Amino acid sequence: MSKQYFYILFIAFLSCAEEKNNEKNPVGYDLNKPEKFTVPDALNEISGISFYNGSSDTLFAEQDEEGKLFYLHLGDKKASHVKFGKKGDYEDIAILNEHVILLRSDGTLFSFPFNEIHQEEITDAKEWNDLLPKGEFEGLCADPKNKQLYILCKHCNDDETSKAVTAYILQLQPGGAISKKASASISVKTIEKLSGDKKIKFHPSALAQNPRTRQWYIVSAVNQMLVIADNDWTVKEVHHLKASIFRQPEGIAFDKNNNLYISNEGDKVSKGNVLKFVFKKE
């Protein structure tokens, strides 16, 4: 082949890469221009994040080593916490119907009343270990309207063979009990098609529901992606995340003003952070 032919192929490759990196942002958000908040060292491995009734005044978070719920104002140098369980791989948090629910990676849920967060330790947190199949789970989200919890599987054998990711739907009862309700499926084939990447193994890290559009926003640290699906879990958009901004996106949440927040774990070089993307009407 001629040098000119190779040159044309090279230019085409660069064009595709540039087009991929400059994909349109989700409506109302500029993923290239966040407000960055560094979190205290205790939250360097920050994973899930949540707000109480959508109020951004206080961020609630956990990290994936200690059984502690942390809470702080964004920008604080220290975070308060309450201990609720033993050390473990905790991945996400939700606040629903005056209860705090935390997800461990093996699918076990822990819950306790929200009004107990100012105690030094919660000794009677309820544990739910029979609601989900065997697998690895990282994403947890609450729907206050329907009193439901949504959990995404990161690694499950059934999902690997069906080219899908399962969303498990649980019901929170008035007294705080949690029960199984239903499940839904997210097509990995559609993610492949929209992303332009073939043979993807999609491993979601966290999810949140946009309060304005009711769309699902799903982040994956492994795939460096933000996937947006409609209320029925049909994938509509795929956005590739820049590694220079999203070091390791592990948590996602919205406040009541539709602002978007994504948390990134830190490492020995970079500290963990929370990125705020202000909602702007088109």
Side-chain angles (χ1 to χ4, degrees), residues 167-206:
Y168 295 92
I169 305 170
L170 308 178
Q171 190 73 46
L172 182 66
Q173 306 299 333
I178 303 173
S179 59
K180 298 178 183 178
K181 183 172 183 181
S183 64
S185 183
I186 303 169
S187 172
V188 176
K189 290 184 179 180
T190 304
I191 295 174
E192 290 177 340
K193 181 179 179 181
L194 292 177
S195 68
D197 295 329
K198 296 181 179 179
K199 297 182 179 181
I200 285 178
K201 290 185 177 181
F202 185 62
H203 301 300
S205 304

Side-chain angles (χ1 to χ4, degrees), residues 128-139:
W128 312 87
N129 56 17
D130 59 351
L131 298 174
L132 299 168
K134 289 184 178 181
E136 183 181 356
F137 302 83
E138 287 198 1

Side-chain angles (χ1 to χ4, degrees), residues 180-250:
K180 298 178 183 178
K181 183 172 183 181
S183 64
S185 183
I186 303 169
S187 172
V188 176
K189 290 184 179 180
T190 304
I191 295 174
E192 290 177 340
K193 181 179 179 181
L194 292 177
S195 68
D197 295 329
K198 296 181 179 179
K199 297 182 179 181
I200 285 178
K201 290 185 177 181
F202 185 62
H203 301 300
S205 304
L207 79 158
Q209 192 168 41
N210 186 313
R212 184 178 63 90
T213 65
R214 305 299 292 173
Q215 291 177 313
W216 294 104
Y217 278 52
I218 305 166
V219 291
S220 170
V222 173
N223 304 102
Q224 285 290 302
M225 283 182 181
L226 169 66
V227 171
I228 300 177
D230 65 19
N231 193 42
D232 294 321
W233 303 97
T234 300
V235 177
K236 297 297 184 180
E237 302 174 33
V238 174
H239 301 272
H240 293 270
L241 301 176
K242 291 183 178 180
S244 58
I245 299 175
F246 302 89
R247 203 198 72 80
Q248 188 175 337
E250 295 283 353

Side-chain angles (χ1 to χ4, degrees), residues 90-128:
Y90 298 95
E91 294 293 350
D92 216 341
I93 174 178
I95 302 173
L96 177 64
N97 200 27
E98 299 302 318
H99 281 78
V100 178
I101 302 99
L102 297 110
L103 172 68
R104 199 167 65 190
S105 62
D106 62 357
T108 300
L109 296 173
F110 297 82
S111 68
F112 55 86
F114 179 79
N115 61 14
E116 295 182 3
I117 65 170
H118 296 295
Q119 298 181 14
E120 182 176 340
E121 183 175 0
I122 296 170
T123 58
D124 58 349
K126 295 182 180 179
E127 186 174 334
W128 312 87

Side-chain angles (χ1 to χ4, degrees), residues 262-277:
I262 296 178
S263 58
N264 290 275
E265 284 193 16
D267 55 22
K268 294 181 179 180
V269 178
S270 303
K271 290 189 175 183
N273 64 56
V274 175
L275 306 178
K276 177 181 179 180
F277 302 89

Side-chain angles (χ1 to χ4, degrees), residues 82 84 113 144:
V82 57
F84 67 88

